[in-house]
Amino acid sequence: MSKKYEKLAHDIVRKIGGSENVSTLTHCMTRLRFALNDNKKANRQEIEDLDGVISVRESGGQFQVVIGTHIEEVYEEVIKVLGNNRESSNQQKVGIFNKIIDFISSTFSPLVPAIAGAGMIKALLALLLLFNLVSRESQTYYVISFMSDASFYFLPFLLAFSAANKLKCSPVLAMISAGILLHPNFVQLQTAGENVHVLGIPLTLVSYSSSVVPILLIVWAQSYIEPMLKRIIPDAVKILFVPMFTVLLVGLIGLTVLGPLGSFFGQYLAMGFDFVGSQGSWLIIFLVATVWPILVMFGLHHSIVPLSLAQVTTLGYENILGPGAIISNIAQGVASLVVAWRTKDQSLKQIANSGGITSLMGITEPALYGVNLPKKYPLIATMIGGASGGLYAGLMEVSRYATGASGIPAIPLYIGENIWNLYNILIALVITVIVTAVATYLLSLKYEKNTLKQNENTKETKKVEDTPKENENRKETKTGTNRDTIITNPIKGNVVPLNEVTDDVFALETMGKGIAINPVEGTVVAPFNGEVVSLFPTKHAICLSSDDGVEMLIHVGINTVQLDGKYFESHVEQGKRISKGQTLLTFDLENIREEGYVTQVPIIILNTQDYTDVTTNCDGKIDYNDDLLVLKA
């Protein structure tokens, strides 16, 4: 069945570093998802050049090869090529650096909303104080202040839960360890300052509120102790004695060894921050502001987050990540908006405008992957502008006083006792905007001019070569008719432009043009009469073919393949006929969101090339069977 993809499979495995470089392999509706032992062994450009590969993406610790609708056939052949080597390669050890980066990214990423939300509350408080709407002595300030401090004070609880999920041990037992560190009775022992011994072992009485390293070390110990207890304790009494001995052993080791060790590490880390700050903190801000887009592209920005959190919880301010990130993000947005102004490509103009605005708000991926990286010159301008603003911010020793987003809404995070800190970040951003805009414009004089010239030449050639009759014949060849095709809406919700989808494979129209829906109900209905071409086993995505030749992908959520079918139910079978309005899929919208997944539903016209354009006039709310897409003949 999939023999025609045998050569492609061999080429992919060979260029990815061989079967011995593959740790695990899964696939979703559109792409192969490799976990590699060494990503450097994979030749990304050569894989992208293969006939049958759409693109390559590295995200979430995975090396993703985007194939398209024939993914299952390619997957089958890749599995055959990997063969028994895949089983043995699963046992190979990943490099220690990759393990650390993966652990940091997986542990801290789920906490970003809580930490960012708390930081923005602190920003709100700073604004209220600045405009004399509240006083520090008021009860309003007092209550809102401890609300914003909760995420930081109880950070060990959040880290325990997240780290335990990553290390495959009990999150509940891990949170008990965090509770031991923050228990009021233990806090009283610290306050009393008397010597304390447990089983003759002295306890080091340190404060663990807002700490990062101690709980990570403790959960790491639990990930070894808990499985060991499960192996040696009889099944009949496991439910009682595994939790009991896990809490006792991990708790004692945590209080006597790992907790104090982590605390000492945190203290020396704080001393390191002070030393770097006294020697040249400007260099850190300058470098981060300059290379932040590169860090984001390779996922290395996650590794800075723990240092940022540690600094703000120990010193009360932070300048490792915040100033550089906000400067770079603003630069990304400005560069993208200048491209939108300069380009004559209407599709790119739309992507650049929306991407530029979201970057100014702190979300840079649409601009980075949709505009700045593909065109290259806006990325160069971004780094020039970021370096200029970062140099000023560094020399002025700009800091932020809470963690949060890195866009315009985060500016209040820089309000402190010295109001010049706020003024300096504003000046740095003005410098960034001016330099980035000028650099982007000057570079566009060369690059956009060449593009415009090519477009004009293409238009002139088409005018000469294409007579009206030939155009008519071309339309007939593509669609079989010269009439536009209207596609109705399969899911109730709110329309989202495709370039705003959080997965860049969809956002960059790699699979084809289309639209996305942010659903308000968990039901997908058939948009036309036709056939189910492919139904993914995890039921999160379905491919359809209409009676008049439209090929469509409906993909529920982003990365929801990882749910392995949980919360999804299909009401049709692959190869079966469907009627317009028929229920195809149902899914539990709320539970999917609670699991942390983005629930945007990309709707892609896979045979976009068969039409002169795919457009929509929709925005805002849309109901089932409303007109959604127009496929131009």
Side-chain angles (χ1 to χ4, degrees):
M1 169 177 148
S2 54
K3 281 291 183 183
K4 65 179 181 178
Y5 298 111
E6 186 175 354
K7 182 180 184 304
L8 175 61
H10 278 279
D11 288 342
I12 290 173
V13 173
R14 178 166 52 84
K15 294 178 186 298
I16 214 166
S19 58
E20 65 278 2
N21 194 37
V22 179
S23 176
T24 60
L25 170 63
T26 58
H27 75 103
C28 62
M29 198 69 180
T30 59
R31 65 196 82 180
L32 299 168
R33 295 170 175 260
F34 291 93
L36 301 181
N37 297 322
D38 185 357
N39 280 23
K40 292 180 180 178
K41 291 183 178 180
N43 192 320
R44 175 172 177 164
Q45 187 58 54
E46 289 188 5
I47 296 172
E48 285 188 331
D49 291 340
L50 290 174
D51 185 18
V53 173
I54 297 174
S55 67
V56 173
R57 294 287 182 271
E58 294 182 58
S59 177
Q62 294 180 330
F63 191 92
Q64 302 175 4
V65 181
V66 183
I67 300 295
T69 54
H70 48 282
I71 180 66
E72 291 191 34
E73 291 93 334
V74 177
Y75 175 78
E76 289 175 9
E77 289 302 317
V78 172
I79 287 295
K80 291 177 185 177
V81 175
L82 293 177
N84 293 329
N85 288 334
R86 179 171 172 264
E87 297 300 322
S88 62
S89 69
N90 287 340
Q91 307 301 320
Q92 294 182 8
K93 293 185 177 180
V94 180
I96 186 66
F97 178 76
N98 289 335
K99 277 189 172 182
I100 292 172
I101 293 297
D102 179 57
F103 175 66
I104 290 172
S105 175
S106 300
T107 300
F108 282 88
S109 292
L111 309 185
V112 169
I115 295 168
M120 295 310 295
I121 294 175
K122 285 185 173 291
L124 173 63
L125 268 180
L127 285 174
L128 293 176
L129 287 172
L130 182 66
F131 293 106
N132 295 319
L133 297 176
V134 298
S135 66
R136 293 185 183 274
E137 293 74 26
S138 68
Q139 292 182 345
T140 299
Y141 179 88
Y142 181 79
V143 172
I144 296 179
S145 180
F146 73 65
M147 287 171 62
S148 65
D149 286 337
S151 292
F152 298 100
Y153 183 88
F154 294 105
L155 188 60
F157 276 102
L158 303 179
L159 288 169
F161 181 84
S162 186
N165 278 322
K166 174 61 181 175
L167 297 175
K168 309 298 183 189
C169 54
S170 170
V172 175
L173 297 181
M175 292 175 72
I176 290 176
S177 296
I180 292 171
L181 299 182
L182 298 177
H183 197 284
N185 289 352
F186 185 67
V187 175
Q188 287 182 9
L189 291 175
Q190 298 168 22
T191 305
E194 300 176 359
N195 294 330
V196 179
H197 293 76
V198 176
L199 301 177
I201 304 172
L203 293 187
T204 303
L205 300 177
V206 296
S207 174
Y208 295 110
S209 64
S210 303
S211 63
V212 173
V213 181
I215 191 61
L216 294 180
L217 293 175
I218 290 169
V219 176
W220 170 77
Q222 179 189 329
S223 70
Y224 287 95
I225 292 172
E226 186 182 351
M228 179 194 69
L229 293 173
K230 286 180 178 178
R231 287 195 300 269
I232 63 177
I233 293 177
D235 291 343
V237 292
K238 264 182 185 175
I239 193 170
L240 296 175
F241 291 108
V242 168
M244 169 187 167
F245 285 112
T246 299
V247 172
L248 275 174
L249 292 174
V250 174
L252 288 171
I253 293 172
L255 287 175
T256 57
V257 181
L258 297 179
L261 179 64
S263 178
F264 293 147
F265 177 81
Q267 290 175 12
Y268 282 108
L269 194 62
M271 291 170 60
F273 293 144
D274 283 336
F275 175 78
V276 171
S278 63
Q279 299 300 314
S281 59
W282 67 271
L283 184 60
I284 296 176
I285 298 175
F286 169 75
L287 289 175
V288 171
T290 304
V291 303
W292 185 252
I294 310 301
L295 297 177
V296 172
M297 285 162 52
F298 289 99
L300 296 176
H301 59 304
H302 293 297
S303 61
I304 306 178
V305 173
L307 298 176
S308 171
L309 286 174
Q311 188 183 29
V312 78
T313 54
T314 55
L315 302 180
Y317 63 85
E318 186 272 325
N319 57 18
I320 293 177
L321 185 154
I326 190 175
I327 288 168
S328 178
N329 289 353
I330 296 300
Q332 288 256 24
V334 171
S336 186
L337 290 173
V338 173
V339 170
W341 169 51
R342 290 285 295 154
T343 186
K344 301 302 181 183
D345 184 330
Q346 292 304 311
S347 177
L348 177 62
K349 187 182 290 288
Q350 182 182 7
I351 295 172
N353 271 321
S354 61
I357 293 170
T358 55
S359 290
L360 296 180
M361 296 298 109
I363 302 169
T364 59
E365 282 77 6
L368 176 60
Y369 295 118
V371 181
N372 298 348
L373 182 59
K375 293 189 77 67
K376 296 183 179 62
Y377 81 84
L379 182 60
I380 295 171
T382 293
M383 296 177 70
I384 293 172
S388 303
L391 179 60
Y392 177 84
L395 293 174
M396 295 298 106
E397 299 182 348
V398 171
S399 300
R400 65 175 177 176
Y401 296 96
T403 57
S406 295
I408 291 174
I411 290 175
L413 296 174
Y414 294 81
I415 300 175
E417 293 183 3
N418 182 2
I419 195 63
W420 269 101
N421 190 72
L422 174 63
Y423 295 157
N424 282 328
I425 191 62
L426 291 174
I427 293 171
L429 293 178
V430 170
I431 292 172
T432 300
V433 169
I434 294 173
V435 173
T436 304
V438 171
T440 309
Y441 175 78
L442 292 177
L443 290 171
S444 75
L445 293 176
K446 174 182 178 181
Y447 292 98
E448 290 300 335
K449 182 179 180 180
N450 290 343
T451 303
L452 287 172
K453 195 171 183 180
Q454 290 171 3
N455 289 340
E456 288 300 322
N457 290 339
T458 302
K459 287 179 182 178
E460 290 299 323
T461 302
K462 284 187 175 181
K463 284 180 182 178
V464 172
E465 293 179 350
D466 289 347
T467 66
K469 187 171 182 180
E470 287 170 337
N471 286 332
E472 190 67 29
N473 291 336
R474 179 162 48 86
K475 289 181 181 178
E476 289 292 335
T477 301
K478 282 186 174 182
T479 66
T481 177
N482 59 0
R483 291 179 299 174
D484 295 343
T485 302
I486 306 296
I487 301 297
T488 58
N489 180 44
I491 185 165
K492 185 176 182 179
N494 296 288
V495 174
V496 178
L498 200 59
N499 58 29
E500 293 181 12
V501 172
T502 56
D503 188 314
D504 58 298
V505 170
F506 296 120
L508 300 181
E509 300 181 350
T510 306
M511 302 293 299
K513 292 186 177 183
I515 198 72
I517 304 294
N518 200 5
V520 295
E521 291 183 7
T523 301
V524 177
V525 303
F528 43 60
N529 297 329
E531 180 183 342
V532 178
V533 176
S534 177
L535 175 62
F536 201 69
T538 56
K539 306 168 188 176
H540 74 291
I542 188 170
C543 282
L544 309 173
S545 177
S546 74
D547 290 340
D548 54 1
V550 178
E551 297 173 12
M552 174 185 285
L553 166 67
I554 303 174
H555 194 288
V556 181
I558 305 302
N559 290 322
T560 44
V561 64
Q562 297 170 2
L563 288 171
D564 198 26
K566 187 179 178 183
Y567 307 129
F568 290 92
E569 184 175 353
S570 62
H571 300 272
V572 292
E573 296 178 7
Q574 188 167 307
K576 296 295 185 181
R577 289 281 305 167
I578 55 172
S579 301
K580 184 176 178 180
Q582 177 183 348
T583 299
L584 304 178
L585 304 172
T586 54
F587 54 95
D588 192 327
L589 184 60
E590 293 306 317
N591 276 324
I592 293 172
R593 284 175 176 162
E594 286 179 6
E595 292 269 5
Y597 290 89
V598 175
T599 54
Q600 294 170 333
V601 181
I603 300 167
I604 309 298
I605 303 302
L606 298 172
N607 58 333
T608 294
Q609 70 279 2
D610 290 343
Y611 305 92
T612 58
D613 201 4
V614 176
T615 63
T616 182
N617 294 321
C618 301
D619 57 14
K621 296 180 181 178
I622 190 168
D623 208 341
Y624 299 109
N625 299 318
D626 287 349
D627 289 351
L628 179 66
L629 293 171
V630 179
L631 280 52
K632 300 284 187 180

